Amino acid sequence: MANSIVIIPTYNEIENIELIIRAVFELPKDFHVLIVDDNSPDGTGESVNKLQKEFSETLFLETRMGKSGLGTAYIHGFKWCIAREYDYIFEMDADFSHNPTDLLRLLKACESGADVAVGSRYKQGVNVVDWPLYRVLLSYGASFYVKMITGMRVHDPTAGFVCYKRHVLESINLDSVRFVGYAFQIEMKFRAYLKNFNIQEISIIFRDRVRGKSKMSSSIITEAIWGVFSMKIKSLFQRNKF
């Protein structure tokens, strides 16, 4: 059995899903893949179900009743993977904004001592391709804001390309994680940071999606701005809950 699994949350990713799954399985390292699909109306789940006939022992599908947010999809996936005792548990998008070959670099970092390895867009300058300037400024500004508020020295705290060692996720009360949008990524890193886990950043090149539609919205941005501040305050007075 492989000791590494990649969680890919999906909602309407029919254009990408088979391609990304095959790209992971073509790597020179055995990874399992868990798709957490929010009952995509475009048939994403059905496509994965067909692929399971080809990859019956390495591809898994968890279908939820409806669109419930990125954070809850990952929490669902984390619990599934912990129960099956995978040593290295990855987060990755379905749209190829994260290069599947970089999974190997994140894994190497964790095998070499990191508890959490983050695929970072901003560790060495700004490594983002095909984003309009306003999105780069928004993302980079959000990262600076998070560093200032939380005290974390993570250059890309909103990154969604991450490898966790299982014991990190086991130490976090996953049921108490409150954010569901992209602020979820910040909260998970912040909780790991408060527990003094070794967080390392691996510089990657992030590319905007070519196929499908972005899930970014104004509510997600608002959650991140106000949520981070309230999270920091609560951690000062209720540290034991983090």
Side-chain angles (χ1 to χ4, degrees):
M1 175 180 173
N3 65 351
S4 303
I5 187 164
V6 183
I7 304 172
I8 304 178
T10 56
Y11 184 77
N12 287 349
E13 291 289 355
I14 190 65
E15 297 169 281
N16 295 302
I17 193 60
E18 180 173 353
L19 295 172
I20 196 72
I21 289 170
R22 291 190 181 279
V24 173
F25 288 148
E26 287 171 1
L27 295 172
K29 157 72 182 174
D30 290 334
F31 289 93
H32 287 182
V33 174
L34 170 65
I35 305 298
V36 181
D37 184 65
D38 280 358
N39 200 22
S40 299
D42 71 347
T44 298
E46 288 87 342
S47 178
V48 176
N49 189 259
K50 292 177 182 178
L51 284 171
Q52 285 184 299
K53 297 175 182 177
E54 181 178 351
F55 304 108
S56 60
E57 298 183 358
T58 55
L59 175 61
F60 307 97
L61 172 65
E62 288 286 289
T63 302
R64 305 197 302 167
M65 293 304 295
K67 191 176 182 182
S68 302
L70 180 75
T72 60
Y74 272 126
I75 295 297
H76 184 104
F78 290 158
K79 291 179 178 179
W80 191 97
C81 296
I82 290 170
R84 288 155 182 81
E85 299 184 340
Y86 286 93
D87 295 323
Y88 303 99
I89 300 170
F90 294 77
E91 299 179 354
M92 189 173 76
D93 291 346
D95 60 8
F96 284 93
S97 55
H98 304 139
N99 188 336
T101 61
D102 286 329
L103 290 167
L104 301 171
R105 299 172 61 221
L106 297 182
L107 177 61
K108 183 178 179 180
C110 281
E111 289 179 333
S112 300
D115 296 305
V116 181
V118 178
S120 177
R121 296 164 290 185
Y122 307 127
K123 182 182 179 182
Q124 298 176 348
V126 178
N127 293 321
V128 177
V129 177
D130 295 332
W131 260 10
L133 181 60
Y134 82 90
R135 282 201 68 179
V136 175
L137 293 175
L138 179 64
S139 176
Y140 191 81
S143 297
F144 180 79
Y145 170 77
V146 171
K147 286 194 291 184
M148 291 293 293
I149 296 296
T150 65
M152 286 193 296
R153 299 275 72 89
V154 176
H155 297 287
D156 194 359
T158 64
F161 196 21
V162 186
C163 177
Y164 292 97
K165 284 183 176 176
R166 185 177 76 238
H167 70 90
V168 175
L169 298 177
E170 288 175 330
S171 75
I172 294 173
N173 181 359
L174 297 175
D175 290 328
S176 69
V177 176
R178 60 181 291 245
F179 294 132
V180 297
Y182 285 90
F184 163 81
Q185 303 292 2
I186 302 168
E187 182 174 359
M188 287 297 298
K189 296 177 187 68
F190 186 57
R191 287 174 178 268
Y193 163 77
L194 290 179
K195 290 180 176 292
N196 296 313
F197 285 116
N198 180 7
I199 303 174
Q200 293 185 16
E201 290 185 270
I202 307 301
S203 184
I204 65 164
I205 295 176
F206 179 95
R207 298 183 181 276
D208 195 15
R209 66 163 59 235
V210 175
R211 296 170 293 272
K213 296 182 179 179
S214 172
K215 312 302 189 298
M216 181 64 71
S217 68
S218 59
S219 63
I220 289 173
I221 296 170
T222 301
E223 178 191 55
I225 292 173
W226 295 109
V228 168
F229 183 76
S230 65
M231 180 183 69
K232 174 62 176 180
I233 297 300
K234 288 181 180 179
S235 74
L236 295 175
F237 296 98
Q238 302 175 351
R239 189 181 181 93
N240 63 311
K241 293 186 178 181
F242 282 81

